[in-house]
Amino acid sequence: MLYRIPIRQTLSVLNISRRHYKLSVGSIKKGQVVQLKDRAWKVLTRDHVSSGRGGAIVKMDLQDILSPNKISERFKSGDTLEILNLSDEPYQYLYSEGNKIHLLHLESFEELEMDKNQCEGGGKGVTMLEDSMPVAVSFLTTPEHGRQPVTFKLPDTYTYTVQSVVDRAGQAAKGTVYKTASLTNGAKLQVPEFVNEGDKIIVDINGLRYMKREL
């Protein structure tokens, strides 16, 4: 069976191809991946801090690529770190089996199996997966282990079909009335009272919130 996705919902991805190289900590940018303590870390923040003795210190908040662990590290301005290659490739969600999900590469049509806990959005993100949804798989290349898939990410927004709705859930301060909607993938979220069964709605997946009806 061939799986196709609408062009309007194709996930744009960033393909990066670089060899390993070192940079001074002062030149490293937020979002880059560095090797430290034999692990790969994504740079969340980077700040220059004065040491008070004429020197400069660079403070970084880092997140382990393979786990939710975060650390804060301080470096001398002259220190260097190895930059690792993290690249995204376009895949399509096929199905789940236990704690595994199966994905299809949109260009080579090769199938890839990953753990659900490798979802960047965590368990909440996994609940928003839907048949044929485009996802981006991040591949990390290191000198020790070569190229490996490490995480997958759902699109920021996606169009779902409302399967059913229930009674009003409550009223917000500005008077908007909400009710619970069940989507065709089994997920549930709050929607305004004018949303009906069969409507197509655009959902902010990161915030798990209704955005608008699709026109």
Side-chain angles (χ1 to χ4, degrees):
M1 178 181 295
L2 293 179
Y3 294 83
R4 300 181 184 276
I5 54 176
I7 294 177
R8 58 182 172 80
Q9 295 202 143
T10 299
L11 185 70
S12 61
V13 297
L14 177 65
N15 289 298
I16 307 171
S17 178
R18 297 179 183 173
R19 295 181 178 179
H20 307 297
Y21 59 97
K22 288 189 175 183
L23 277 180
S24 66
V25 291
S27 299
I28 294 174
K29 299 178 181 179
K30 175 182 176 181
Q32 287 187 298
V33 179
V34 300
Q35 185 163 352
L36 179 69
K37 301 176 182 177
D38 296 323
R39 296 190 69 85
W41 304 84
K42 185 175 183 178
V43 179
L44 301 178
T45 63
R46 189 214 65 185
D47 297 304
H48 287 271
V49 180
S50 174
S51 67
R53 291 176 291 180
I57 293 176
V58 176
K59 178 184 176 183
M60 289 187 187
D61 291 327
L62 307 170
Q63 179 169 354
D64 188 354
I65 290 293
L66 300 178
S67 76
N69 295 337
K70 297 179 182 179
I71 61 173
S72 293
E73 292 286 333
R74 291 174 178 265
F75 304 92
K76 296 179 180 178
S77 58
D79 290 343
T80 61
L81 291 174
E82 186 167 19
I83 305 298
L84 301 179
N85 176 24
L86 186 69
S87 61
D88 289 350
E89 293 193 8
Y91 278 77
Q92 185 180 69
Y93 173 69
L94 296 180
Y95 63 94
S96 296
E97 187 175 28
N99 192 44
K100 304 288 186 180
I101 71 162
H102 294 259
L103 306 170
L104 182 73
H105 195 284
L106 292 179
E107 296 175 0
S108 68
F109 301 107
E110 293 181 356
E111 192 172 323
L112 174 68
E113 180 184 272
M114 297 186 70
D115 290 335
K116 288 182 178 179
N117 60 16
Q118 291 177 280
C119 178
E120 289 191 17
K124 291 184 178 179
V126 171
T127 64
M128 300 305 293
L129 285 167
E130 185 171 67
D131 292 347
S132 301
M133 172 183 278
V135 299
V137 176
S138 294
F139 286 82
L140 178 67
T141 304
T142 64
E144 297 82 7
H145 305 292
R147 187 171 180 270
Q148 294 180 319
V150 289
T151 61
F152 66 92
K153 182 181 180 181
L154 281 65
D156 293 333
T157 63
Y158 194 74
T159 300
Y160 295 88
T161 300
V162 176
Q163 186 174 47
S164 63
V165 293
V166 297
D167 294 336
R168 298 176 180 180
Q171 187 165 340
K174 293 184 179 180
T176 303
V177 178
Y178 288 88
K179 57 187 178 183
T180 302
S182 295
L183 309 179
T184 51
N185 69 339
K188 296 181 178 181
L189 76 160
Q190 301 301 306
V191 298
E193 63 173 341
F194 55 77
V195 174
N196 299 307
E197 179 180 332
D199 285 351
K200 292 186 180 297
I201 61 173
I202 299 175
V203 176
D204 170 10
I205 293 181
N206 295 323
L208 296 180
R209 65 181 182 88
Y210 165 89
M211 296 181 65
K212 61 182 180 180
R213 280 192 298 191
E214 185 180 63
L215 301 178

